[in-house]
Amino acid sequence: MQEILDFDTKLKSERKVSTFLVGAFTVMGLGLTVPLWNDSIKWTETLFCFQHNSEEPCEAQNIRRGISWIVEQERRNFIFDSRITFLRVMPPEDGSATGYGALGTAALLTAYGISKSLTDRQEKAIHSQLSLLKVKALENDLLVEKHLDVTEFSKSKQADITKAALARETTEVLEAMKPPGEQALDEINGRLQGELALKQHELTLSEIEKHITDNKLAAAEATKKLEKISSSAIDSKGTTQATSDEKLKTSLIDALKSHEGSWLWKVITAAKPLWIIGEQGTGKTNTSVAIGLIRKYCLGIPVFRIADRHLNGANSKVWALLAAQNKADNDSGIIEVLQDTYERRLERISLDLDEKQAEQFLLDEFTHLKDIDEETVKRFIKSTFSDTRKAKERFIGVTHLGTNEAFGDGTSAMRKAGSFLMEKFTADGEKPLSRVVIKHGLVDTQGNKLEDVEYTLPSWFEAFRIHQHFNGKPIDFE
């Protein structure tokens, strides 16, 4: 309560000081603004006589006065000007009245500010004090509650101690009243009961240890069985999956080997670059992707790079079947790819890689590249016919023509000696035919070069069907 009284005393003291200041500033402000209520104090006035005939003497009841600048404005009225006679100009009684008025206004505003500030400050202080009092009241309630709980707990424990002490004293008195023989008999019984309890305790511990040991043995046996079953399941699953994949590979390879003297399998497994030519609508891109998929799944050769100006357009769905590390889909990007491939081949040749590190590069729409950067294309072409085998690169190129115009002058012999050239056909410009002609690249059993050999592609040789063969929909080769 003393804290509340001190707080109230503080508030009263502040209100007294504030009331005095507000009153002083209010009186000062009103006093300073009093001169503003009288025009004669603020303005210069003109004394004049207003009468109908200006030639008659001015009488006292006709004498008027007015603020000089207002009178000057009224003199524009000729009737008014002709009926007045100016007597004299009276200066303002106090020229500083306007300044005093401003000071008075400032004093009144100061009084308001002091009053408003005091009200807001005391309102916040009262709310803060009430919140503090609520917190302290809650703390007191908690202290009282805890004190009562401790007191009750202490009384309960004291009662238990008193009961235990009385029970012990009673037992000692009863023991003292027994004869010596009965006391000796009680001692023997107590010793026997103690030994019996100890043995019983040892037996219980032994039984518990036995149960624990049995449980550990059972858990170990169960764990061993589970591990054996899990290992068998994993091995079985891995073996089944591996067997399934091998069957898919074997069935596809057997179908390729059995087709027309296995010419297609020879082209797929050869390290020489493969060029596919033909008109529009002959299915060149689809065939190149189909060969790339077979090399990926059956030979384990990943696709490192794809370059096609229609990569994200008309050919996007078939290209999506191949997962390549690098892709180029515009002319400038493809030219950079050709430059990088030339240098990459030289680097890979210097590393002397084995067949397990082979990679694929598929290039489409080669026909027009010579017009963009002839020097880069020439260097790339010569590298393709001479470096791909040593660089362990399986290259497939697609173009419309297989002439010097497309590959450059002086490359005819190099092309025939170092690459396959497959030509595809169409009868209507839209649907590709199964007919193909291997212009060069194949040899007979004696090593003689074969030219313009005509074959056919299997009816199932299509990129989407080959992809489905390894992804849940095997091809029926029968």
Side-chain angles (χ1 to χ4, degrees):
M1 289 299 294
Q2 184 61 37
E3 185 177 359
I4 297 176
L5 293 176
D6 294 340
F7 181 70
D8 183 60
T9 302
K10 179 182 177 182
L11 294 182
K12 287 180 179 180
S13 175
E14 290 180 353
R15 284 196 294 271
K16 286 180 182 180
V17 174
S18 178
T19 302
F20 172 76
L21 293 175
V22 170
F25 278 105
T26 301
V27 172
M28 183 187 302
L30 293 174
L32 290 173
T33 56
V34 167
L36 297 178
W37 301 347
N38 193 334
D39 291 339
S40 63
I41 294 177
K42 297 180 292 181
W43 310 101
T44 299
E45 291 188 325
T46 300
L47 193 67
F48 60 90
C49 181
F50 185 82
Q51 56 189 358
H52 294 286
N53 190 356
S54 59
E55 295 178 358
E56 296 178 358
C58 184
E59 296 180 1
Q61 64 271 19
N62 294 329
I63 296 176
R64 303 284 189 273
R65 69 179 182 178
I67 299 173
S68 296
W69 63 273
I70 296 178
V71 172
E72 288 297 327
Q73 286 185 344
E74 288 296 332
R75 290 188 64 183
R76 297 176 183 176
N77 187 336
F78 293 104
I79 297 175
F80 174 81
D81 192 40
S82 62
R83 292 184 178 180
I84 65 171
T85 302
F86 288 94
L87 302 178
R88 69 172 179 272
V89 176
M90 296 182 295
E93 297 179 9
D94 188 356
S96 60
T98 305
Y100 288 131
L103 291 175
T105 302
L108 292 174
L109 291 174
T110 302
Y112 170 76
I114 293 173
S115 177
K116 184 69 168 60
S117 175
L118 176 68
T119 302
D120 294 342
R121 187 173 65 255
Q122 289 198 347
E123 182 180 2
K124 291 181 181 179
I126 291 171
H127 283 299
S128 177
Q129 189 67 23
L130 288 175
S131 299
L132 183 62
L133 291 175
K134 288 181 180 179
V135 172
K136 289 187 176 181
L138 181 60
E139 290 179 352
N140 290 333
D141 291 342
L142 292 174
L143 289 174
V144 171
E145 182 180 356
K146 294 298 181 183
H147 178 71
L148 292 177
D149 290 342
V150 171
T151 302
E152 184 178 354
F153 178 79
S154 177
K155 289 181 178 179
S156 175
K157 293 303 178 183
Q158 287 178 358
D160 293 340
I161 293 173
T162 302
K163 289 179 182 179
L166 291 174
R168 184 164 186 168
E169 289 179 359
T170 302
T171 302
E172 290 177 353
V173 171
L174 292 174
E175 289 293 330
M177 294 174 62
K178 291 181 180 181
E182 188 175 352
Q183 290 180 358
L185 183 61
D186 289 342
E187 183 179 357
I188 294 172
N189 288 333
R191 188 182 301 112
L192 291 175
Q193 290 178 357
E195 292 178 356
L196 181 62
L198 182 60
K199 296 296 183 181
Q200 186 67 32
H201 180 66
E202 291 177 352
L203 179 62
T204 302
L205 290 177
S206 177
E207 290 292 335
I208 292 173
E209 290 179 355
K210 181 180 178 182
H211 282 299
I212 292 173
T213 303
D214 292 340
N215 289 337
K216 288 182 177 180
L217 290 174
E221 291 179 0
T223 302
K224 186 181 294 184
K225 290 180 180 180
L226 287 175
E227 290 178 352
K228 184 177 181 180
I229 293 172
S230 177
S231 176
S232 299
I234 292 172
D235 293 342
S236 176
K237 183 177 179 181
T239 303
T240 302
Q241 183 65 33
T243 303
S244 177
D245 292 343
E246 289 299 324
K247 286 181 178 179
L248 293 173
K249 293 179 184 179
T250 302
S251 63
L252 179 57
I253 293 172
D254 290 342
L256 290 169
K257 288 181 177 180
S258 63
H259 179 72
E260 297 181 356
S262 71
W263 73 268
L264 185 54
W265 179 244
K266 292 177 182 177
V267 172
I268 292 173
T269 56
K272 293 192 296 185
L274 168 63
W275 289 92
I276 304 176
I277 63 174
E279 299 177 0
Q280 293 183 353
T282 55
K284 300 184 295 298
T285 301
N286 194 290
T287 301
S288 67
V289 174
I291 295 174
L293 288 170
I294 294 174
R295 286 175 170 175
K296 172 185 175 182
Y297 287 114
C298 296
L299 303 179
I301 303 175
V303 179
F304 176 74
R305 178 171 284 157
I306 295 173
D308 180 13
R309 67 193 306 190
H310 302 307
L311 184 67
N312 297 317
N315 298 332
S316 59
K317 291 182 180 179
V318 70
W319 282 126
L321 302 178
L322 290 174
Q325 296 184 33
N326 294 286
K327 297 180 179 181
D329 59 359
N330 56 73
D331 292 340
S332 60
I334 294 174
I335 294 299
E336 292 180 4
V337 163
L338 299 185
Q339 296 172 348
D340 181 69
T341 300
Y342 173 79
E343 297 173 357
R344 181 177 177 82
R345 288 169 178 170
L346 297 178
E347 292 177 0
R348 289 174 63 84
I349 290 173
S350 65
L351 295 175
D352 192 21
L353 304 174
D354 56 29
E355 288 297 330
K356 294 181 180 180
Q357 296 171 293
E359 64 182 25
Q360 294 192 65
F361 174 27
L362 281 73
L363 172 63
D364 204 342
E365 293 295 336
F366 174 77
T367 308
H368 70 288
L369 295 178
K370 186 178 178 183
D371 299 331
I372 300 174
D373 191 336
E374 184 175 0
E375 185 63 30
T376 298
V377 171
K378 285 183 178 180
R379 187 168 61 173
F380 173 78
I381 286 296
K382 292 181 179 180
S383 171
T384 300
F385 294 135
S386 60
D387 296 341
T388 51
R389 184 182 61 82
K390 296 178 182 178
K392 300 301 184 291
E393 178 189 303
R394 301 296 188 269
F395 173 80
I396 302 176
V398 177
T399 182
H400 292 294
L401 301 173
T403 62
N404 289 339
E405 180 64 25
F407 293 100
D409 296 333
T411 61
S412 178
M414 186 181 297
R415 296 199 305 270
K416 291 182 178 181
S419 68
F420 286 97
L421 182 61
M422 177 192 296
E423 184 175 6
K424 297 203 66 189
F425 301 90
T426 178
D428 54 8
E430 294 183 2
K431 185 177 180 181
L433 298 175
S434 61
R435 174 196 175 204
V436 296
V437 173
I438 304 300
K439 307 295 287 184
H440 56 72
L442 289 175
V443 296
D444 59 16
T445 56
Q446 302 300 320
N448 298 314
K449 297 180 181 179
L450 303 176
E451 295 186 1
D452 296 328
V453 185
E454 186 168 332
Y455 294 106
T456 61
L457 292 174
S459 59
W460 47 263
F461 196 80
E462 197 268 335
F464 290 98
R465 295 194 63 184
I466 293 172
H467 182 268
Q468 292 171 355
H469 178 71
F470 293 98
N471 290 275
K473 293 184 179 180
I475 299 173
D476 184 6
F477 298 107
E478 297 298 331

